[in-house]
Structures are given as C-alpha cells and as structure tokens.
Amino acid sequence: MSVNRFIWRGREISFRPGESIAAALEAAGIVRLGLDALGQETRYFCGIGACQSCLVRVDGTACEACLTPARSGMTVTPLEDRS
C-alpha cells in the first residue's frame, strides 16, 4: 500500500485519496498558510473557494487549497514564500 504525501515547506504531509490540500494541512495541524501579496495571513476559511483566503502555490501555480485535490509528489508553498 502506497502512502499519499505532498511537500509543504520541506515537510511531508500525508493525505487520504480525494482530500483537498487545505484539509490535509489542517489534519497535520497547519492552519496558517503564509502571507498574501499584501502581507495578510492566509488560512483555510470558507471551504468552497469563495473567499480565496487559502491561496497557495502548487508547483508554482496559485490556487485555492480548499478546492485543489492533494496529489502525491506535489510541492505546495505559501502564496508569497518569504522564507
């Protein structure tokens, strides 16, 4: 049985098939998703993509973490990665 994992800030995050990035991060205890372009903290909020408060970059492309299914091997970073 293979384990489903993606990378968040150098950390492997496990997820269940069909789970969103936001749900997997929350299950791993990660609730702060970094900063947006205006320096405001991003987080998982509405769960339906309406608020865009959970914007992250997946393999370099901006997307809503609550709507994007997690995939093995993907790299997820904050929208504005200032690390």
Side-chain angles (χ1 to χ4, degrees), residues 4 8 10 15 19-20 24 29 37 45 47 49-51 57-58 75 77 80-82:
N4 296 312
W8 167 259
F15 64 91
E19 194 168 41
S20 71
F45 182 68
C51 71
R57 292 195 185 277
V58 176
T75 299
T77 58
E80 296 293 320
D81 197 357
R82 299 176 185 180

Side-chain angles (χ1 to χ4, degrees), residues 2-30:
S2 66
V3 177
N4 296 312
R5 293 189 180 118
F6 63 86
I7 303 298
W8 167 259
R9 291 184 155 176
R11 177 178 164 191
E12 287 189 342
I13 304 297
S14 297
F15 64 91
R16 292 175 294 181
E19 194 168 41
S20 71
I21 293 168
L25 289 171
E26 186 172 62
I30 299 166

Side-chain angles (χ1 to χ4, degrees), residues 30-64:
I30 299 166
V31 294
R32 294 184 175 155
L33 304 180
L35 303 176
D36 65 14
L38 299 175
Q40 299 298 308
E41 191 70 42
T42 58
R43 63 190 178 98
Y44 182 26
F45 182 68
C46 75
I48 60 171
C51 71
Q52 296 189 327
S53 289
C54 65
L55 288 174
V56 294
R57 292 195 185 277
V58 176
D59 298 328
T61 302
C63 63
E64 293 97 341

